[in-house]
Amino acid sequence: MQAVDAPQVVQPAYAPELNPVERFFRELRRAVEGRVYPDRVRQLCGWTWIREALTALPIADEVF
């Protein structure tokens, strides 16, 4: 069997600029940063026990 004479390309151990997935998520973050998604957040973490705990918290005037 004959060896293939191909040049070796040395890449750094971590190079996000060379990874297309890293570039995709960078652009995705730019598109969504700073936006508020209250309905989606409520769906993901609005469990009953969390909502009940938040409504049971004292109002700022009641603390002092």
Side-chain angles (χ1 to χ4, degrees):
M1 180 177 232
Q2 219 173 8
V4 177
D5 188 26
Q8 290 185 345
V9 177
V10 179
Q11 293 183 341
Y14 178 68
E17 65 277 359
L18 300 177
N19 185 345
V21 174
E22 293 281 347
R23 292 195 318 249
F24 169 77
F25 280 107
R26 182 178 58 221
E27 294 303 320
L28 180 62
R29 272 190 233 90
R30 284 183 188 165
V32 299
E33 71 181 343
R35 293 186 183 186
V36 179
Y37 300 96
D39 292 332
R40 186 65 178 144
V41 171
R42 198 173 297 124
Q43 288 175 351
L44 292 173
C45 60
W47 297 307
T48 305
W49 66 271
I50 293 176
R51 290 194 310 267
E52 290 171 355
L54 289 174
T55 55
L57 289 173
I59 299 174
D61 297 337
E62 296 175 3
V63 175
F64 296 104

mmCIF file of all heavy atoms in Angstrom, residues 1-28:
data_model
loop_
_atom_site.group_PDB
_atom_site.id
_atom_site.type_symbol
_atom_site.label_atom_id
_atom_site.label_comp_id
_atom_site.label_asym_id
_atom_site.label_seq_id
_atom_site.Cartn_x
_atom_site.Cartn_y
_atom_site.Cartn_z
ATOM 1 N N MET A 1 0.845 -1.170 0.000
ATOM 2 C CA MET A 1 0.000 0.000 0.000
ATOM 3 C C MET A 1 0.892 1.235 0.000
ATOM 4 O O MET A 1 1.825 1.339 0.772
ATOM 5 C CB MET A 1 -0.909 -0.044 1.224
ATOM 6 C CG MET A 1 -1.835 1.122 1.314
ATOM 7 S SD MET A 1 -2.918 0.946 2.724
ATOM 8 C CE MET A 1 -4.446 1.185 1.927
ATOM 9 N N GLN A 2 0.542 2.189 -0.833
ATOM 10 C CA GLN A 2 1.344 3.380 -0.986
ATOM 11 C C GLN A 2 0.789 4.507 -0.116
ATOM 12 O O GLN A 2 -0.418 4.682 0.016
ATOM 13 C CB GLN A 2 1.308 3.814 -2.449
ATOM 14 C CG GLN A 2 2.601 4.307 -2.938
ATOM 15 C CD GLN A 2 2.523 4.567 -4.445
ATOM 16 O OE1 GLN A 2 1.469 4.498 -5.042
ATOM 17 N NE2 GLN A 2 3.664 4.857 -5.019
ATOM 18 N N ALA A 3 1.651 5.272 0.512
ATOM 19 C CA ALA A 3 1.233 6.402 1.344
ATOM 20 C C ALA A 3 0.819 7.571 0.458
ATOM 21 O O ALA A 3 1.386 7.806 -0.602
ATOM 22 C CB ALA A 3 2.366 6.825 2.257
ATOM 23 N N VAL A 4 -0.185 8.283 0.903
ATOM 24 C CA VAL A 4 -0.656 9.460 0.178
ATOM 25 C C VAL A 4 0.169 10.649 0.655
ATOM 26 O O VAL A 4 0.320 10.881 1.845
ATOM 27 C CB VAL A 4 -2.155 9.712 0.452
ATOM 28 C CG1 VAL A 4 -2.630 10.966 -0.244
ATOM 29 C CG2 VAL A 4 -2.978 8.505 0.012
ATOM 30 N N ASP A 5 0.678 11.395 -0.290
ATOM 31 C CA ASP A 5 1.498 12.540 0.050
ATOM 32 C C ASP A 5 0.611 13.790 0.103
ATOM 33 O O ASP A 5 0.449 14.507 -0.872
ATOM 34 C CB ASP A 5 2.602 12.710 -1.000
ATOM 35 C CG ASP A 5 3.606 13.765 -0.586
ATOM 36 O OD1 ASP A 5 3.755 13.997 0.630
ATOM 37 O OD2 ASP A 5 4.236 14.364 -1.476
ATOM 38 N N ALA A 6 0.014 14.014 1.274
ATOM 39 C CA ALA A 6 -0.859 15.177 1.469
ATOM 40 C C ALA A 6 -0.222 16.100 2.505
ATOM 41 O O ALA A 6 0.340 15.638 3.494
ATOM 42 C CB ALA A 6 -2.227 14.732 1.946
ATOM 43 N N PRO A 7 -0.321 17.393 2.289
ATOM 44 C CA PRO A 7 0.266 18.324 3.262
ATOM 45 C C PRO A 7 -0.546 18.321 4.563
ATOM 46 O O PRO A 7 -1.760 18.182 4.547
ATOM 47 C CB PRO A 7 0.173 19.684 2.568
ATOM 48 C CG PRO A 7 -0.948 19.529 1.593
ATOM 49 C CD PRO A 7 -0.932 18.090 1.171
ATOM 50 N N GLN A 8 0.161 18.454 5.655
ATOM 51 C CA GLN A 8 -0.505 18.535 6.946
ATOM 52 C C GLN A 8 -0.828 19.992 7.252
ATOM 53 O O GLN A 8 -0.008 20.883 7.004
ATOM 54 C CB GLN A 8 0.378 17.970 8.049
ATOM 55 C CG GLN A 8 0.545 16.480 7.975
ATOM 56 C CD GLN A 8 1.333 15.961 9.167
ATOM 57 O OE1 GLN A 8 1.976 16.718 9.890
ATOM 58 N NE2 GLN A 8 1.271 14.672 9.375
ATOM 59 N N VAL A 9 -2.018 20.198 7.775
ATOM 60 C CA VAL A 9 -2.436 21.535 8.164
ATOM 61 C C VAL A 9 -2.537 21.539 9.679
ATOM 62 O O VAL A 9 -3.297 20.774 10.263
ATOM 63 C CB VAL A 9 -3.800 21.903 7.541
ATOM 64 C CG1 VAL A 9 -4.258 23.273 8.010
ATOM 65 C CG2 VAL A 9 -3.720 21.822 6.033
ATOM 66 N N VAL A 10 -1.754 22.386 10.305
ATOM 67 C CA VAL A 10 -1.757 22.463 11.758
ATOM 68 C C VAL A 10 -2.714 23.578 12.170
ATOM 69 O O VAL A 10 -2.590 24.713 11.725
ATOM 70 C CB VAL A 10 -0.332 22.743 12.296
ATOM 71 C CG1 VAL A 10 -0.351 22.850 13.804
ATOM 72 C CG2 VAL A 10 0.614 21.662 11.832
ATOM 73 N N GLN A 11 -3.682 23.218 13.003
ATOM 74 C CA GLN A 11 -4.637 24.196 13.502
ATOM 75 C C GLN A 11 -4.460 24.323 15.012
ATOM 76 O O GLN A 11 -4.060 23.376 15.677
ATOM 77 C CB GLN A 11 -6.067 23.766 13.201
ATOM 78 C CG GLN A 11 -6.392 23.767 11.733
ATOM 79 C CD GLN A 11 -7.850 23.406 11.492
ATOM 80 O OE1 GLN A 11 -8.513 22.837 12.347
ATOM 81 N NE2 GLN A 11 -8.345 23.741 10.323
ATOM 82 N N PRO A 12 -4.792 25.488 15.542
ATOM 83 C CA PRO A 12 -4.705 25.646 16.995
ATOM 84 C C PRO A 12 -5.722 24.739 17.690
ATOM 85 O O PRO A 12 -6.709 24.305 17.088
ATOM 86 C CB PRO A 12 -5.047 27.119 17.219
ATOM 87 C CG PRO A 12 -5.662 27.598 15.964
ATOM 88 C CD PRO A 12 -5.214 26.693 14.863
ATOM 89 N N ALA A 13 -5.480 24.462 18.968
ATOM 90 C CA ALA A 13 -6.359 23.568 19.717
ATOM 91 C C ALA A 13 -7.781 24.108 19.777
ATOM 92 O O ALA A 13 -8.745 23.360 19.687
ATOM 93 C CB ALA A 13 -5.817 23.373 21.119
ATOM 94 N N TYR A 14 -7.947 25.399 19.953
ATOM 95 C CA TYR A 14 -9.275 25.992 20.015
ATOM 96 C C TYR A 14 -9.290 27.195 19.094
ATOM 97 O O TYR A 14 -8.593 28.179 19.320
ATOM 98 C CB TYR A 14 -9.614 26.424 21.441
ATOM 99 C CG TYR A 14 -10.959 27.093 21.556
ATOM 100 C CD1 TYR A 14 -12.128 26.367 21.365
ATOM 101 C CD2 TYR A 14 -11.058 28.441 21.809
ATOM 102 C CE1 TYR A 14 -13.366 26.972 21.453
ATOM 103 C CE2 TYR A 14 -12.293 29.065 21.900
ATOM 104 C CZ TYR A 14 -13.451 28.323 21.723
ATOM 105 O OH TYR A 14 -14.668 28.921 21.805
ATOM 106 N N ALA A 15 -10.065 27.104 18.039
ATOM 107 C CA ALA A 15 -10.136 28.196 17.077
ATOM 108 C C ALA A 15 -11.596 28.421 16.675
ATOM 109 O O ALA A 15 -12.061 27.908 15.662
ATOM 110 C CB ALA A 15 -9.290 27.859 15.857
ATOM 111 N N PRO A 16 -12.366 29.167 17.491
ATOM 112 C CA PRO A 16 -13.783 29.355 17.182
ATOM 113 C C PRO A 16 -14.019 30.060 15.850
ATOM 114 O O PRO A 16 -15.032 29.838 15.213
ATOM 115 C CB PRO A 16 -14.301 30.204 18.349
ATOM 116 C CG PRO A 16 -13.102 30.786 18.984
ATOM 117 C CD PRO A 16 -11.967 29.866 18.695
ATOM 118 N N GLU A 17 -13.076 30.887 15.416
ATOM 119 C CA GLU A 17 -13.258 31.572 14.139
ATOM 120 C C GLU A 17 -13.202 30.611 12.957
ATOM 121 O O GLU A 17 -13.648 30.930 11.862
ATOM 122 C CB GLU A 17 -12.226 32.699 13.965
ATOM 123 C CG GLU A 17 -10.792 32.247 13.878
ATOM 124 C CD GLU A 17 -10.123 32.004 15.231
ATOM 125 O OE1 GLU A 17 -10.759 32.210 16.267
ATOM 126 O OE2 GLU A 17 -8.958 31.592 15.220
ATOM 127 N N LEU A 18 -12.659 29.411 13.181
ATOM 128 C CA LEU A 18 -12.599 28.416 12.110
ATOM 129 C C LEU A 18 -13.774 27.438 12.167
ATOM 130 O O LEU A 18 -13.942 26.639 11.265
ATOM 131 C CB LEU A 18 -11.290 27.624 12.201
ATOM 132 C CG LEU A 18 -10.014 28.452 12.086
ATOM 133 C CD1 LEU A 18 -8.799 27.562 12.271
ATOM 134 C CD2 LEU A 18 -9.962 29.172 10.752
ATOM 135 N N ASN A 19 -14.582 27.508 13.209
ATOM 136 C CA ASN A 19 -15.687 26.579 13.399
ATOM 137 C C ASN A 19 -16.982 27.244 12.925
ATOM 138 O O ASN A 19 -17.422 28.234 13.502
ATOM 139 C CB ASN A 19 -15.786 26.206 14.882
ATOM 140 C CG ASN A 19 -16.824 25.147 15.134
ATOM 141 O OD1 ASN A 19 -17.665 24.857 14.296
ATOM 142 N ND2 ASN A 19 -16.770 24.570 16.319
ATOM 143 N N PRO A 20 -17.631 26.703 11.894
ATOM 144 C CA PRO A 20 -18.850 27.326 11.381
ATOM 145 C C PRO A 20 -19.981 27.377 12.401
ATOM 146 O O PRO A 20 -20.793 28.292 12.382
ATOM 147 C CB PRO A 20 -19.226 26.483 10.170
ATOM 148 C CG PRO A 20 -18.396 25.272 10.233
ATOM 149 C CD PRO A 20 -17.245 25.536 11.136
ATOM 150 N N VAL A 21 -20.054 26.421 13.314
ATOM 151 C CA VAL A 21 -21.100 26.426 14.329
ATOM 152 C C VAL A 21 -20.908 27.612 15.277
ATOM 153 O O VAL A 21 -21.871 28.283 15.665
ATOM 154 C CB VAL A 21 -21.115 25.089 15.109
ATOM 155 C CG1 VAL A 21 -22.084 25.141 16.260
ATOM 156 C CG2 VAL A 21 -21.450 23.946 14.169
ATOM 157 N N GLU A 22 -19.668 27.900 15.639
ATOM 158 C CA GLU A 22 -19.382 29.055 16.493
ATOM 159 C C GLU A 22 -19.813 30.349 15.801
ATOM 160 O O GLU A 22 -20.384 31.233 16.429
ATOM 161 C CB GLU A 22 -17.895 29.133 16.830
ATOM 162 C CG GLU A 22 -17.390 28.015 17.699
ATOM 163 C CD GLU A 22 -17.722 28.220 19.168
ATOM 164 O OE1 GLU A 22 -18.122 29.338 19.552
ATOM 165 O OE2 GLU A 22 -17.578 27.253 19.927
ATOM 166 N N ARG A 23 -19.560 30.455 14.524
ATOM 167 C CA ARG A 23 -19.961 31.660 13.788
ATOM 168 C C ARG A 23 -21.474 31.776 13.726
ATOM 169 O O ARG A 23 -22.035 32.873 13.853
ATOM 170 C CB ARG A 23 -19.357 31.646 12.386
ATOM 171 C CG ARG A 23 -17.849 31.793 12.408
ATOM 172 C CD ARG A 23 -17.259 32.131 11.056
ATOM 173 N NE ARG A 23 -17.821 31.399 9.936
ATOM 174 C CZ ARG A 23 -17.161 30.485 9.238
ATOM 175 N NH1 ARG A 23 -15.922 30.186 9.530
ATOM 176 N NH2 ARG A 23 -17.732 29.892 8.224
ATOM 177 N N PHE A 24 -22.161 30.645 13.531
ATOM 178 C CA PHE A 24 -23.622 30.652 13.485
ATOM 179 C C PHE A 24 -24.204 31.163 14.801
ATOM 180 O O PHE A 24 -25.069 32.033 14.822
ATOM 181 C CB PHE A 24 -24.150 29.238 13.196
ATOM 182 C CG PHE A 24 -25.629 29.113 13.404
ATOM 183 C CD1 PHE A 24 -26.515 29.602 12.462
ATOM 184 C CD2 PHE A 24 -26.140 28.527 14.549
ATOM 185 C CE1 PHE A 24 -27.880 29.498 12.647
ATOM 186 C CE2 PHE A 24 -27.495 28.424 14.750
ATOM 187 C CZ PHE A 24 -28.373 28.907 13.797
ATOM 188 N N PHE A 25 -23.721 30.623 15.939
ATOM 189 C CA PHE A 25 -24.253 31.044 17.227
ATOM 190 C C PHE A 25 -23.882 32.487 17.559
ATOM 191 O O PHE A 25 -24.647 33.178 18.227
ATOM 192 C CB PHE A 25 -23.823 30.086 18.335
ATOM 193 C CG PHE A 25 -24.680 28.853 18.364
ATOM 194 C CD1 PHE A 25 -24.188 27.640 17.937
ATOM 195 C CD2 PHE A 25 -25.988 28.920 18.805
ATOM 196 C CE1 PHE A 25 -24.986 26.513 17.945
ATOM 197 C CE2 PHE A 25 -26.795 27.799 18.816
ATOM 198 C CZ PHE A 25 -26.294 26.586 18.387
ATOM 199 N N ARG A 26 -22.761 32.961 17.084
ATOM 200 C CA ARG A 26 -22.410 34.375 17.287
ATOM 201 C C ARG A 26 -23.435 35.266 16.594
ATOM 202 O O ARG A 26 -23.924 36.232 17.172
ATOM 203 C CB ARG A 26 -21.004 34.654 16.765
ATOM 204 C CG ARG A 26 -20.573 36.096 16.996
ATOM 205 C CD ARG A 26 -19.165 36.381 16.520
ATOM 206 N NE ARG A 26 -19.039 36.068 15.093
ATOM 207 C CZ ARG A 26 -17.988 35.471 14.543
ATOM 208 N NH1 ARG A 26 -16.954 35.126 15.281
ATOM 209 N NH2 ARG A 26 -17.954 35.213 13.256
ATOM 210 N N GLU A 27 -23.796 34.926 15.359
ATOM 211 C CA GLU A 27 -24.792 35.709 14.632
ATOM 212 C C GLU A 27 -26.176 35.559 15.257
ATOM 213 O O GLU A 27 -26.939 36.525 15.317
ATOM 214 C CB GLU A 27 -24.827 35.291 13.160
ATOM 215 C CG GLU A 27 -23.563 35.617 12.404
ATOM 216 C CD GLU A 27 -23.217 37.100 12.452
ATOM 217 O OE1 GLU A 27 -24.130 37.942 12.344
ATOM 218 O OE2 GLU A 27 -22.027 37.421 12.604
ATOM 219 N N LEU A 28 -26.502 34.371 15.729
ATOM 220 C CA LEU A 28 -27.789 34.165 16.393
ATOM 221 C C LEU A 28 -27.890 35.009 17.658
ATOM 222 O O LEU A 28 -28.910 35.647 17.907
ATOM 223 C CB LEU A 28 -27.968 32.677 16.728
ATOM 224 C CG LEU A 28 -29.272 32.302 17.416
ATOM 225 C CD1 LEU A 28 -30.462 32.620 16.509
ATOM 226 C CD2 LEU A 28 -29.263 30.835 17.787
#
